[in-house]
Amino acid sequence: MIEPSQYLLKGRNRNKKRIYITLYIRTMQKEEIVINNIQKLYQSKKIYDLEGTERYFVAAIKDNMEFHNQHCKRYAQILKKQGIIKDDIHSIEDLHRIPPLPTLYYKKKRIASLPSKKMVIKATASGTSGVKSKIGYDAKGLYYGAHMVYRIAKYHKLLSTKPTNYILLGFQQGKENQAVTAKTLLGSTYFAPAKERVYALQYVNGSYEFNIKGMLKALMKFSKQSNPVRIIGFPAYALFLANELEKRKKRFTLPKGSKVILGGGWKQFYSDRVDKKLLYQKIQRTLGIEEENIREFYGAVEHPMLYCDCKNHHFHVPIYSRVLVRDVDTLLPVPNGKVGILNFLSPLLSSMPLTSVMTDDLGVLHNGAECGCGITAPYFEVLGRVGLCDIHTCAWGAGELLGGNRI
């Protein structure tokens, strides 16, 4: 299971890769039970076979829950207060009993199961309020995370060995910017070797500038080459770029194999949100990239999982996670097809208790058969965002979780 790291971590990251693998082996020796269950889950080649891997997922999530119970005093107090232990979780149907921590919790409190020195990568993410989550990733989690990304990217045919030109619709990463979106944006360029990278938001003289002239120059240059082009980033920025091209009456025909990969949601530009079909039509008119080559990712810094849409643009749930939809008032799970708050579960990280994370996204879970793409796993739809201050909860007292003193 080394090949995903070798494929995704290149160039300047080689030394880090060796460190990750070395730390992973040492961790494996100390946490044999946890690793064994996760290995069985991550070794499966059928990434959407939820039924076939159910027992491994349940075992891994229980081990993850218990690890954090033993190593994080704050999390242990939460479990104790809710009267939940790992032996109460017997099947997928019991997963809703694991207390979901709201994303706002990670913005307000420090909660960790490993010391900072064992978190080999740290990332931040800010919500619309500007309050930041600070998440650390351990070596074992990074190892399996790389494996997960490799499997999903391979399944959706995003991996290529052909040198590719990139236009990145986001911030240029640097010492001044450790946001997870910048890290993810750069990481996406490892799916195919980068020939050249051009950023929409370029760091110049101590501040970021919108690089429209640079992007137009790059599009003109790239359209004359044979190398495929990948335009990656926020959908809002893709819309702004398409609108700017329409305004200037410019159209490009990018080389065969070019793709647009969107992710990160609309954030503060939610009021500018347009229907996917309209956005895809604008992209096709201005860049010559057809809908079948436009893909979208979904993820969150508090839930380090990669969701890639299918050919029908739905986010199916892979074997590495499970998705619940909870009633806004009671936090109890609702049936598929009903709107509620999205709750994600994953056994990936040992660094922090991200076992069950409740977002501030409203969504709905659908049966996989409703999609028609051939993937049988259920898929979720993100409908919008709601602040936790607007959610009146009673099941696990989210308000109480946000109170108290630091530990």
Side-chain angles (χ1 to χ4, degrees):
M1 292 176 63
I2 301 298
E3 79 282 4
S5 300
Q6 292 174 337
Y7 196 98
L8 294 172
L9 299 174
K10 300 180 179 180
R12 290 179 297 175
N13 291 313
R14 286 177 180 172
N15 290 333
K16 286 186 177 181
K17 180 184 69 176
R18 295 190 186 100
I19 294 172
Y20 296 160
I21 294 174
T22 300
L23 290 173
Y24 159 72
I25 292 172
R26 291 176 181 173
T27 305
M28 179 177 63
Q29 294 170 346
K30 295 180 180 179
E31 302 171 29
E32 184 176 355
I33 295 177
V34 175
I35 294 298
N36 282 344
N37 285 323
I38 289 184
Q39 278 181 332
K40 292 174 183 177
L41 180 64
Y42 278 76
Q43 282 175 345
S44 176
K45 295 181 180 180
K46 298 179 180 180
I47 66 169
Y48 290 110
D49 182 18
L50 271 61
E51 184 176 347
T53 57
E54 181 174 311
R55 58 175 176 167
Y56 302 137
F57 183 87
V58 172
I61 207 84
K62 289 174 64 175
D63 288 333
N64 186 263
M65 176 181 169
E66 181 60 21
F67 179 85
H68 295 304
N69 181 47
Q70 295 292 330
H71 294 84
C72 178
K73 183 179 179 181
R74 186 184 291 277
Y75 189 70
Q77 290 175 339
I78 293 172
L79 293 180
K80 183 178 180 181
K81 186 169 184 178
Q82 304 307 323
I84 300 295
I85 60 175
K86 75 168 189 174
D87 291 337
D88 294 328
I89 310 301
H90 303 286
S91 66
I92 291 293
E93 287 71 26
D94 295 326
L95 294 182
H96 74 276
R97 302 183 65 186
I98 301 174
L101 300 187
T103 53
L104 185 59
Y105 186 88
Y106 301 96
K107 294 176 172 64
K108 295 288 187 179
K109 303 291 183 181
R110 183 187 182 278
I111 183 167
S113 300
L114 293 176
S116 180
K117 64 181 180 181
K118 289 191 176 182
M119 298 182 186
V120 293
I121 285 184
K122 297 171 184 175
T124 60
S126 60
T128 54
S129 64
V131 183
K132 296 181 178 181
S133 291
K134 296 181 180 180
I135 305 297
Y137 303 89
D138 58 280
K140 176 174 66 68
L142 281 174
Y143 175 84
Y144 283 113
H147 189 81
M148 174 266 298
V149 170
Y150 171 82
R151 289 270 193 210
I152 291 177
K154 183 179 180 180
Y155 180 92
H156 291 284
K157 300 179 180 180
L158 296 177
L159 300 182
S160 173
T161 58
K162 190 170 185 178
T164 299
N165 289 311
Y166 288 90
I167 293 180
L168 301 172
L169 303 176
F171 290 94
Q172 183 177 8
Q173 188 188 2
K175 292 182 179 179
E176 70 289 335
N177 184 5
Q178 294 300 311
V180 69
T181 51
K183 294 176 184 290
T184 302
L185 198 61
L186 179 61
S188 299
T189 65
Y190 293 132
F191 290 159
K195 185 174 184 289
E196 187 173 345
R197 298 183 182 96
V198 175
Y199 284 85
L201 294 169
Q202 194 171 23
Y203 194 69
V204 179
N205 298 325
S207 63
Y208 282 97
E209 296 180 358
F210 186 53
N211 187 28
I212 184 62
K213 290 184 178 180
M215 288 191 291
L216 292 175
K217 183 179 179 180
L219 285 170
M220 181 67 71
K221 176 182 176 181
F222 296 163
S223 65
K224 297 177 180 179
Q225 299 179 2
S226 61
N227 301 84
V229 178
R230 293 193 177 189
I231 300 173
I232 305 177
F234 293 104
Y237 292 179
L239 176 63
F240 299 156
L241 176 60
N243 286 341
E244 187 67 24
L245 293 176
E246 288 182 337
K247 178 182 176 182
R248 295 172 182 243
K249 298 182 180 180
K250 290 184 177 293
R251 294 185 179 183
F252 297 94
T253 301
L254 298 179
K256 182 180 179 180
S258 295
K259 297 180 184 296
V260 171
I261 302 175
L262 306 174
W266 290 80
K267 305 298 184 187
Q268 68 269 34
F269 300 108
Y270 192 79
S271 60
D272 298 303
R273 185 181 182 183
V274 298
D275 181 76
K276 283 185 179 182
K277 287 289 184 182
L278 176 59
L279 176 59
Y280 297 165
Q281 289 170 3
K282 283 178 172 285
I283 290 173
Q284 184 171 350
R285 284 199 302 268
T286 56
L287 299 169
I289 297 179
E290 298 181 352
E291 183 176 332
E292 64 186 37
N293 287 316
I294 302 175
R295 309 307 297 269
E296 188 169 359
F297 291 155
Y298 178 88
V301 66
E302 300 90 355
H303 178 66
M305 190 63 51
L306 179 66
Y307 297 94
C308 182
D309 66 349
C310 66
K311 65 180 182 180
N312 292 334
H313 304 296
H314 293 142
F315 295 115
H316 291 268
V317 181
I319 60 175
Y320 316 107
S321 68
R322 292 297 187 275
V323 179
L324 300 176
V325 177
R326 295 181 180 272
D327 182 87
V328 173
D329 292 317
T330 67
L331 289 189
L332 294 175
V334 299
N336 287 2
K338 299 294 184 180
V339 176
I341 308 170
L342 290 174
N343 174 199
F344 295 97
L345 296 101
S346 167
L348 182 63
L349 293 185
S350 298
S351 54
M352 301 178 67
L354 303 175
T355 314
S356 181
V357 174
M358 187 170 64
T359 70
D360 50 3
D361 285 330
L362 287 174
V364 59
L365 195 64
H366 298 277
N367 296 324
E370 297 175 20
C371 175
C373 72
I375 299 175
T376 59
Y379 65 91
F380 64 91
E381 180 183 1
V382 181
L383 302 178
R385 176 159 292 187
V386 58
L388 280 178
C389 60
D390 298 323
I391 301 174
H392 302 287
T393 62
C394 65
W396 286 299
E400 292 184 14
L401 290 180
L402 295 173
N405 299 319
R406 291 181 178 272
I407 293 179

